């Protein structure tokens, strides 16, 4: 090997070694600074790294003095902010009742809410809020027309082979609000009877609440009973979609049905929607 080239290689290796050692020293110095910064921040974390919390206004029992006291306590612990959550549940698990405060969404409640926003701004806290009281949709300003809705229906058995003029029962109604959706009829055929019932049908149709706090919903994906309960025993019928007749236009606004019903026994369902509970 050329002697000059050999010397250049040795000098290059030595240079890399010196630079590497220097970087290790700098990295060690940077690591010490970082550890000191982490220790300091852990003892006194900046607001942007602080926690947020659910800020429960249980039974609406709040006032301006309590709002200021709570928010100043959050600020003193370097909270980033909170989520206002008006709710009930104060008397669960054997707890005593909390005196009732302003109704969610009322003028008095709204005044306290705006005051809380102003106090949070003064203290540099970030606020959010639940748009309902607990899990109950609505408020005093939400009229039934705009409240949460659910499907409701009534069922009538009609013998066919004749001209029908009958009144269909009004489905279950809440808050004096109801609107019709459709009237459907389907035949009850002997060859369609089956004892294989659909498990938890009301839950699959959304007729009642399944539950909160992330319940196990796998049973909804098949005919698997919830909580390993036995499928209900009984007799029902399989209905072909092609056999269903739309009678919506055959019912007047008073619920009177006029229909030339074909031969056989028919089930007529009046579907509508009303407010939830």
């Amino acid at each position: 090997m050329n002697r000059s080239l050999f010397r250049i290689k040795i000098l290059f290796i030595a240079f890399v070694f010196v630079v590497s050692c220097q970087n290790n020293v700098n990295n060690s110095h940077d690591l010490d600074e970082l550890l000191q910064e982490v220790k300091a921040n852990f003892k006194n974390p900046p607001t942007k790294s602080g926690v947020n919390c659910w800020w429960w206004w249980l039974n609406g029992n709040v006032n301006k003095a309590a709002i200021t006291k709570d928010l100043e306590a959050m600020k003193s612990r370097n909270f980033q902010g909170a989520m206002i959550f008006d709710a009930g549940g104060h008397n669960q698990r054997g707890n005593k009742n909390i005196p009732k405060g302003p109704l969610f969404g009322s003028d008095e409640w709204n005044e306290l809410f705006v005051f809380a926003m102003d106090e949070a701004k003064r203290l540099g806290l970030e606020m959010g809020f639940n748009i309902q009281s607990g899990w109950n949709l609505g408020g005093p300003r939400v009229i039934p027309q705009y409240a949460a809705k659910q499907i409701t229906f009534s069922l009538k058995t009609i013998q066919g082979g004749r001209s029908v003029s009958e009144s269909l029962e009004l489905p279950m109604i809440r808050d004096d609000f109801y609107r019709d959706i459709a009237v459907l009829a389907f035949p009850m055929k002997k060859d369609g009877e089956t004892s294989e019932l659909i498990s938890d049908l009301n839950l699959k149709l959304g007729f009642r609440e399944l539950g909160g706090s992330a319940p196990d919903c796998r049973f909804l994906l098949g005919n698997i009973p919830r909580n390993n309960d036995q499928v209900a025993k009984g007799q029902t019928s399989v209905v072909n979609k092609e056999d269903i007749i739309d009678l919506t236009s055959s019912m007047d606004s008073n619920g009177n049905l006029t229909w030339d019903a074909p031969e056989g026994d028919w089930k007529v369902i009046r579907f509508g929607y009303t407010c939830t509970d």
Side-chain angles (χ1 to χ4, degrees):
M1 179 183 292
N2 184 290
R3 188 178 294 273
S4 298
L5 182 59
F6 177 76
R7 288 175 177 174
I8 292 174
K9 286 185 176 181
I10 292 298
L11 289 173
F12 177 75
I13 293 172
F15 172 76
V16 171
F17 177 77
V18 171
V19 170
S20 177
C21 290
Q22 185 63 40
N23 285 339
N24 286 336
V25 171
N26 291 337
N27 288 340
S28 177
H29 179 69
D30 292 342
L31 182 59
D32 287 340
E33 287 187 351
L34 179 60
L35 289 174
Q36 293 304 318
E37 182 181 352
V38 169
K39 288 180 180 179
N41 286 344
F42 191 81
K43 292 180 180 179
N44 189 28
T47 300
K48 67 179 181 180
S49 300
V51 298
N52 284 265
C53 70
W54 294 115
W55 185 18
W56 296 97
W57 289 15
L58 290 176
N59 208 20
N61 188 274
V62 290
N63 55 48
K64 291 183 177 180
I67 287 171
T68 297
K69 184 176 181 180
D70 282 352
L71 290 176
E72 287 182 345
M74 294 179 200
K75 181 65 176 180
S76 71
R77 301 298 189 273
N78 290 320
F79 276 52
Q80 182 184 10
M83 173 75 72
I84 295 176
F85 207 129
D86 188 283
H90 51 282
N91 52 6
Q92 293 178 354
R93 300 179 179 87
N95 292 315
K96 295 181 179 180
N97 286 322
I98 293 176
K100 186 177 181 180
L103 177 66
F104 173 81
S106 65
D107 290 338
E108 187 179 0
W109 192 96
N110 290 339
E111 181 182 348
L112 291 170
F113 175 77
V114 172
F115 177 78
M117 295 298 102
D118 290 339
E119 285 292 85
K121 184 177 181 180
R122 174 179 68 85
L123 295 167
L125 295 170
E126 185 178 287
M127 287 287 108
F129 78 103
N130 189 37
I131 63 172
Q132 59 201 44
S133 180
W135 286 262
N136 304 308
L137 293 167
R141 288 177 171 78
V142 182
I143 61 177
Q145 180 182 354
Y146 299 111
K149 304 296 191 300
Q150 72 172 63
I151 299 293
T152 182
F153 68 92
S154 65
L155 182 66
K156 190 179 188 70
T157 301
I158 291 178
Q159 186 176 6
R162 61 189 178 92
S163 294
V164 174
S165 182
E166 296 193 27
S167 176
L168 299 182
E169 182 182 350
L170 198 64
M172 180 271 295
I173 298 176
R174 290 195 180 104
D175 294 331
D176 295 323
F177 181 92
Y178 172 81
R179 296 291 185 273
D180 279 307
I181 297 174
V183 178
L184 302 178
F186 57 89
M188 300 297 293
K189 298 179 179 180
K190 287 290 184 181
D191 59 359
E193 291 183 352
T194 179
S195 58
E196 185 179 356
L197 306 185
I198 299 175
S199 63
D200 303 293
L201 184 58
N202 281 344
L203 292 174
K204 290 173 179 174
L205 293 175
F207 277 118
R208 67 180 178 87
E209 185 177 304
L210 174 57
S213 302
D216 187 346
C217 298
R218 288 174 294 180
F219 73 96
L220 295 175
L221 302 177
N223 207 33
I224 306 169
R226 189 183 190 190
N227 300 327
N228 294 319
D229 294 335
Q230 293 295 319
V231 177
K233 301 295 183 182
Q235 200 74 17
T236 188
S237 296
V238 175
V239 178
N240 293 321
K241 184 173 65 175
E242 295 75 16
D243 293 336
I244 298 175
I245 300 176
D246 187 348
L247 297 178
T248 305
S249 61
S250 300
M251 186 187 72
D252 64 21
S253 58
N254 294 317
N256 297 313
L257 176 68
T258 303
W259 175 41
D260 290 330
E263 289 287 343
D265 292 332
W266 293 80
K267 293 289 186 181
V268 178
I269 305 181
R270 180 180 180 181
F271 286 103
Y273 61 95
T274 187
C275 296
T276 62
D277 190 19

